[in-house]
Amino acid sequence: MSEYYIYQDQKRCIGCRACELHCKTENDVRVGPSFGKIINVGPTVRGDVPRINFIFMPCFHCENPWCVSACPTGAMQKRSKDGIVFVDPSLCIGCKACITACPWGAPQWDKDTGKAIKCDYCKDRVDQGLEPACVTGCTTDALKWISPAKSSQVRRERFAKAITEEIPFP
Amino acid sequence: MPEGTKKSVYSVCSMCTVRCPIEVEVENGAVRHIWGNPHLLGGHYLCPRGAAGKVFQNDTERLQHPMIRDGERGSGKWKKASWDEALDYIASNLKKIISKHGGESVVLGDRGGPFTDMQKAFIKALGSPNYFNHHGACSNSVHNAHNAMTGHRRNTVAYDWKNCDYCILYGRNILESIGTKEAKDFIDALERGMKFTHIDVRWNYTAAKADRFLMLKPGTDYALNLALINVIVKEKLYDAAFVERWVTGMKELVAFVEPYTPEWAEKETGIPAKQIVTIAHELAEAKPAVILYQGWMTAWTENDYYFRRSIYMLYALLGGYEAKGGLLFNKNETHTGRKPLRKLVDGVPKVNKKRFDGVGWKYKHLSPDYGLAQMLPYAILKEDPYPVKAFINYRFDPLSAFPDPEAFKKGLMKLDLLVTVDVNYSHTGWISDVILPEATYLERTDPAIAKGGPKPALWLRRQAVEPQYDSKPKWWIFKQLAERLGIGEYFPYNSAEELIEWQLKDIGFQLSDFDAKGYIELAKDQILWDRSDGLKFKTPSGKIEFVSSMLQDSGLPSFPPYESPKSPPKGHYRLLTGKIAIHTQGTTLNNLYLNELQPENTLWINTNEAKKLGIKTGDTVEVSSNGCVQTVKASVTDFIHPDAVYTLHGFGREIPQQTRAYKRGMRDNTLMGGLLTVAVGGNCPITDCFVRVKKAS
């Protein structure tokens, strides 16, 4: 896994898809492919209210990326300095092995160039000390650019707060 | 701009009418990315439509050069014109019309919002009182209800989300019909622990985050509010000191709501009486830190005006004005001890003629700030109260926004001159004589605006890139027309910069003061008025008038007996419309990226009703009313009231130049035959539309 992680706070996410738009405009992605995508799950009634989850699906930048192993030309690469997985378009021959290999559907197909393209966490921005466009532009600040360890801390803090709200002080 | 250069320009978005503050990243003279302005938003947050401004800017399917029609009106035949040709054409026709029929025979329709000074000045300088905007199909009843009761428009108060403890949204889909700051503030408030009840005829993403979601019978929000008032009054849960100090007509209200008990409202709304009592108690407990959102959608009916009044009455009862967590009055430049920003309209002599739409004489309780666009076709056809011969249509599209476009069009076709100024093709533009392409919000600098608020400020929309096509900024277009018409003196500038320096003169700032953050702060901290003595209600009594003197002047009752909304005739459904975060009604449907995410609308229909009609999700259905038929795909759901069907507004575009949106989905307003009327609040009763639905053969 890369040293970065995009944490999506479901409580804050409103499913507006600003993340998708900021991604497309930042990377000038054509109509069709999308590097990051919101998938709606629901609505399902919980309690008295129908709830819905908006699941953000960028590339997860795996520790042992299936797409990298599957790539016959070395076009799909993992950056040694921070683990970001990206395509070198000059080496891509458009065989789609990465698209077949990835269980999460992250690699995308650019029919105009006949090559694979994918989320690279906006590595040019990351190299400038900035965050990926999806995180920076998120309407309600629901996406956070943090380390996996920090994400665990956020979830623990939220859980701790939730249970103490229900347990009255003695 | 030389290759490889980068800059950042603070400006104001125009992808929708929220007009969020933005930071435009420009590289090699082209838009690189559009973000929210972090100085005003606390981060680079910006909604999807705002982000999609970049592909709008580069779109070849927007207006590119002036066009004069080259065939019958509405034939879709155009010839490309130079700016001189187009402006000369308009000016010579306007001169003829004005010399024959007077200045009042020219009307100007506007989208509305804060950037209206120039349009208002222009029409006034022509000697016409006839400015109006789109609010007749939008928030007229809200504005006018608040205005008659308190002397304030809807938007002269702001919501204090930061401190609100309890909120009711009546069909206000705040998390889908979004403004960047409001959506984020709302989510922040929920995270802080604000409780929230959502009232609607259908579930949506906002309802999904509610503590309580109540699906009521369409059009009965007013009945719910009457019962809430009934409980609050009966149990004396109101803020007695506030009411005593600031309210007149309390006695009349108490008598009026007596029969409207929670049990009565249960029958009317379908919401259990017990729940209504609980909500009343929750409101009382949280008061005055409550927000009851005043608009939009669900009860947009004939009696909508009285529903909106009931919301403001609840605020008054709960002491919610100028209260932490409630409504805060917006303060302006003068409240900071300064002179106001100069306005062009103030330099133009007053026009002493009555309006074409009856506002101010026939309808004394309605505001000329918004007018009644829906009266335009009737005034043209009947020449009543006088001939209307020319319509200048600035960034406005009544044929998309208003019910019954055929009826509207019938009037427009009789005009001597119809001019549209816009950035996009519109249905109204399509039947115009001349279309003038305005430079986009990224290509133009607009006059500075005063942004009222608890902390007032000055904002500036500033040019980020050079115009892509042969388009011109508003300040240039109106100045050019004004000079040709002999009213150039009222537009005392030669460039946007000169105009802004002129605007800023009295208030004591200069253009460069916008450079650092994109806005000029007028107050360090919130300006708050004293709740016991400092509130400014601009009514004759200086109080909140439950019995409204303004309504009395119009011969209208303040408390007419409640009337149930019309029920759909057998085999019919009430057609309701709404919005999502991806689109701004018709104006973004053809945007490359937004169209990709949502290319067409669907018709929501209740599962049981769909079953009766043999309709499944994805089926093509025919929706019909008054002889008009639209086809669209169905979305079957448990989460809509069985009396209603619902669709996203604005689809089914009929302009071939917009290839991505052309004939995609259904055009809802065509089904609203007979609704181009004036309800009590000056709104069209858009949700009083009943349609049949059947599976397409």
Side-chain angles (χ1 to χ4, degrees):
Chain A
M1 179 121 185
S2 75
E3 63 186 64
Y4 314 111
Y5 176 64
I6 294 176
Y7 169 69
Q8 183 194 9
D9 186 339
Q10 279 296 332
K11 284 198 155 178
R12 297 191 65 90
C13 180
I14 59 172
C16 74
R17 301 163 88 177
C19 47
E20 293 186 39
L21 260 297
H22 282 287
C23 170
K24 288 205 84 139
T25 55
E26 177 67 22
N27 296 293
D28 290 321
V29 183
R30 291 165 223 275
V31 167
S34 63
F35 295 170
K37 190 110 199 125
I38 291 280
I39 303 293
N40 287 5
V41 182
T44 45
V45 178
R46 272 178 262 155
D48 291 332
V49 180
R51 307 289 182 189
I52 188 167
N53 283 316
F54 311 106
I55 309 297
F56 183 52
M57 302 268 287
C59 172
F60 299 131
H61 299 267
C62 317
E63 178 61 29
N64 289 306
W66 300 30
C67 57
V68 173
S69 313
C71 179
T73 66
M76 190 66 82
Q77 302 169 32
K78 187 175 142 186
R79 252 185 11 175
S80 54
K81 71 169 177 178
D82 56 9
I84 285 179
V85 180
F86 70 102
V87 193
D88 177 344
S90 70
L91 296 175
C92 179
I93 55 166
C95 71
K96 309 182 191 70
C98 55
I99 293 175
T100 309
C102 175
W104 300 282
Q108 300 286 299
W109 181 245
D110 184 341
K111 69 177 169 59
D112 294 353
T113 59
K115 291 175 192 287
I117 50 175
K118 71 178 284 297
C119 160
D120 63 3
Y121 274 165
C122 298
K123 61 180 166 50
D124 294 348
R125 287 178 59 82
V126 171
D127 289 344
Q128 292 169 55
L130 301 169
E131 300 179 340
C134 56
V135 174
T136 306
C138 172
T139 307
T140 57
D141 198 17
L143 296 180
K144 320 265 185 205
W145 180 241
I146 52 179
S147 65
K150 180 82 191 297
S151 130
S152 159
Q153 184 65 17
V154 170
R155 287 188 190 199
R156 282 173 173 163
E157 279 171 12
R158 172 162 293 172
F159 181 72
K161 194 166 168 252
I163 56 163
T164 46
E165 269 170 13
E166 281 167 28
I167 304 167
F169 287 106
Chain B
M1 188 178 287
E3 198 64 17
T5 54
K6 280 186 185 182
K7 65 172 180 175
S8 177
V9 179
Y10 294 118
S11 189
V12 180
C13 187
S14 185
M15 291 296 284
C16 84
T17 50
V18 177
R19 304 173 183 88
C20 295
I22 52 174
E23 179 177 351
V24 187
E25 233 179 272
V26 179
E27 195 173 19
N28 301 328
V31 175
R32 171 86 187 79
H33 202 116
I34 306 170
W35 307 104
N37 179 344
H39 299 296
L40 278 158
L41 298 174
H44 285 93
Y45 325 116
L46 190 65
C47 95
R49 286 160 289 149
K54 176 177 166 179
V55 286
F56 161 67
Q57 172 62 19
N58 297 329
D59 198 350
T60 54
E61 294 194 4
R62 62 175 169 90
L63 296 168
Q64 299 193 15
H65 43 74
M67 304 197 297
I68 299 177
R69 87 178 145 85
D70 194 23
E72 289 296 295
R73 194 174 269 163
S75 62
K77 290 184 184 138
W78 299 98
K79 64 172 187 243
K80 190 174 163 179
S82 69
W83 277 94
D84 273 338
E85 273 175 279
L87 294 166
D88 288 346
Y89 178 98
I90 297 167
S92 69
N93 278 289
L94 275 179
K95 272 188 202 158
K96 269 185 247 164
I97 292 165
I98 292 168
S99 69
K100 195 161 172 210
H101 302 285
E104 68 273 23
S105 66
V106 185
V107 302
L108 188 143
D110 191 357
R111 183 74 178 78
F115 292 97
T116 55
D117 176 39
M118 187 165 287
Q119 300 89 289
K120 284 176 177 161
F122 181 78
I123 192 71
K124 191 177 174 192
L126 288 181
S128 171
N130 294 322
Y131 171 90
F132 58 87
N133 64 26
H134 82 287
H135 280 300
C138 190
S139 49
N140 250 7
S141 61
V142 189
H143 279 299
N144 287 313
H146 200 212
N147 198 34
M149 197 188 295
T150 70
H152 287 276
R153 293 171 296 166
R154 168 185 65 92
N155 49 2
T156 52
V157 283
Y159 308 100
D160 186 14
W161 293 113
K162 249 194 180 69
N163 298 297
C164 176
D165 289 333
Y166 189 81
C167 145
I168 300 181
L169 302 179
Y170 306 86
R172 169 70 182 104
N173 191 3
I174 201 165
L175 299 181
E176 285 191 90
S177 178
I178 57 170
T180 300
K181 183 169 191 303
E182 188 175 58
K184 184 172 173 295
D185 284 351
F186 189 80
I187 290 293
D188 286 347
L190 289 183
E191 187 158 340
R192 181 178 47 76
M194 177 185 75
K195 296 291 172 224
F196 132 64
T197 291
H198 192 66
I199 315 279
D200 209 328
V201 300
R202 68 171 188 117
W203 173 88
N204 50 40
Y205 293 176
T206 306
K209 301 246 193 248
D211 295 290
R212 185 189 293 110
F213 165 49
L214 300 172
M215 196 154 78
L216 87 175
K217 188 173 174 339
T220 62
D221 312 51
Y222 183 36
L224 168 70
N225 270 5
L226 289 178
L228 290 174
I229 296 174
N230 175 293
V231 176
I232 286 168
V233 161
K234 207 172 275 174
E235 298 185 19
K236 297 212 174 342
L237 300 174
Y238 53 86
D239 182 335
F242 187 88
V243 168
E244 171 68 25
R245 173 66 186 87
W246 293 113
V247 170
T248 67
M250 185 63 180
K251 202 173 77 206
E252 287 84 349
L253 175 74
V254 172
F256 174 66
V257 296
E258 219 265 312
Y260 304 124
T261 60
E263 292 71 28
W264 165 84
E266 174 173 338
K267 289 194 198 107
E268 198 60 26
T269 61
I271 299 174
K274 250 173 133 175
Q275 291 254 31
I276 298 174
V277 174
T278 306
I279 296 171
H281 289 169
E282 286 169 349
L283 281 171
E285 196 175 320
K287 76 172 185 293
V290 293
I291 289 174
L292 304 105
Y293 211 103
Q294 301 100 309
W296 322 101
M297 295 305 181
T298 46
W300 209 351
T301 55
E302 277 293 334
N303 72 6
D304 189 52
Y305 185 75
Y306 291 101
F307 163 54
R308 306 299 169 185
R309 275 172 54 84
S310 72
I311 296 178
Y312 290 113
M313 285 176 191
L314 276 165
Y315 271 120
L317 292 172
L318 298 165
Y321 282 95
E322 203 68 348
K324 220 176 153 187
L327 290 180
L328 299 177
F329 284 103
N330 286 338
K331 316 303 184 299
N332 62 33
E333 309 94 295
T334 60
H335 300 121
T336 68
R338 293 177 174 84
K339 285 190 173 160
L341 194 69
R342 280 191 190 171
K343 283 184 179 167
L344 294 170
V345 72
D346 293 336
V348 184
K350 199 167 182 290
V351 176
N352 290 313
K353 282 172 187 151
K354 63 180 184 179
R355 290 177 60 98
F356 81 99
D357 56 10
V359 169
W361 52 282
K362 189 171 167 193
Y363 305 107
K364 289 187 184 162
H365 65 297
L366 302 183
S367 166
D369 283 350
Y370 317 111
L372 297 169
Q374 64 267 48
M375 290 303 292
L376 180 60
Y378 306 118
I380 296 168
L381 291 171
K382 293 182 193 154
E383 304 209 337
D384 177 20
Y386 44 70
V388 171
K389 296 291 180 186
F391 173 26
I392 298 162
N393 178 42
Y394 175 74
R395 266 186 25 81
F396 179 34
D397 188 9
L399 296 189
S400 298
F402 276 79
D404 208 347
E406 275 309 307
F408 214 114
K409 191 173 159 187
K410 228 167 133 187
L412 299 187
M413 293 302 269
K414 235 201 99 191
L415 285 166
D416 288 354
L417 181 68
L418 173 48
V419 178
T420 289
V421 186
D422 210 328
V423 291
N424 273 316
Y425 285 97
S426 67
H427 287 122
T428 311
W430 197 244
I431 64 159
S432 296
D433 302 318
V434 188
I435 302 180
L436 301 179
E438 188 181 20
T440 70
Y441 68 101
L442 298 161
E443 298 168 339
R444 71 176 190 257
T445 296
D446 274 339
I449 54 167
K451 189 86 178 167
K455 277 175 70 177
L458 304 179
W459 282 26
L460 184 63
R461 175 177 290 145
R462 211 165 205 184
Q463 182 176 358
V465 292
E466 289 302 313
Q468 176 96 297
Y469 307 118
D470 189 15
S471 61
K472 297 283 182 188
K474 175 167 84 177
W475 63 263
W476 186 90
I477 296 173
F478 281 102
K479 168 88 177 165
Q480 289 288 320
L481 277 175
E483 275 177 357
R484 282 167 168 80
L485 290 159
I487 51 170
E489 63 186 287
Y490 302 116
F491 299 82
Y493 58 82
N494 293 299
S495 66
E497 291 69 28
E498 264 183 48
L499 169 57
I500 293 159
E501 295 291 8
W502 174 86
Q503 284 183 288
L504 292 170
K505 210 159 184 191
D506 297 342
I507 197 168
F509 291 104
Q510 47 200 15
L511 180 57
S512 57
D513 292 328
F514 286 104
D515 292 350
K517 295 179 174 177
Y519 71 106
I520 296 172
E521 193 174 69
L522 297 179
K524 277 264 165 292
D525 302 304
Q526 286 193 342
I527 302 169
L528 296 174
W529 291 332
D530 185 322
R531 267 163 59 84
S532 60
D533 218 29
L535 304 191
K536 295 171 181 70
F537 296 106
K538 296 175 190 165
T539 51
S541 63
K543 295 188 175 190
I544 301 169
E545 297 185 349
F546 286 177
V547 177
S548 162
S549 42
M550 216 177 193
L551 279 177
Q552 271 166 352
D553 284 350
S554 277
L556 290 165
S558 288
F559 293 111
Y562 176 85
E563 280 179 45
S564 297
K566 295 172 198 141
S567 281
K570 198 171 161 15
H572 288 70
Y573 301 91
R574 188 184 281 270
L575 175 66
L576 301 172
T577 64
K579 286 166 72 174
I580 45 165
I582 298 297
H583 282 302
T584 304
Q585 290 116 348
T587 62
T588 57
L589 296 179
N590 202 53
N591 181 285
L592 186 73
Y593 282 163
L594 299 175
N595 178 275
E596 180 189 7
L597 289 188
Q598 184 91 32
E600 56 188 53
N601 52 1
T602 62
L603 188 81
W604 288 35
I605 182 163
N606 179 277
T607 309
N608 290 330
E609 298 301 311
K611 211 169 170 186
K612 285 186 219 162
L613 298 167
I615 292 167
K616 295 191 296 291
T617 291
D619 284 351
T620 302
V621 294
E622 287 179 7
V623 191
S624 60
S625 171
N626 292 301
C628 173
V629 185
Q630 293 278 326
T631 53
V632 69
K633 290 202 180 88
S635 290
V636 176
T637 170
D638 292 345
F639 306 122
I640 183 167
H641 195 280
D643 284 0
V645 290
Y646 162 84
T647 195
L648 286 172
H649 168 65
F651 285 77
R653 304 288 288 171
E654 294 180 30
I655 298 151
Q657 267 75 347
Q658 299 184 316
T659 61
R660 305 171 204 116
Y662 186 55
K663 296 201 170 165
R664 298 294 299 272
M666 67 180 262
R667 189 172 167 196
D668 52 290
N669 66 331
T670 61
L671 296 162
M672 298 171 183
L675 297 182
L676 197 65
T677 58
V678 179
V680 184
N683 58 304
C684 290
I686 284 174
T687 60
D688 278 341
C689 173
F690 300 104
V691 295
R692 282 182 182 278
V693 180
K694 67 168 190 176
K695 201 167 160 175
S697 44

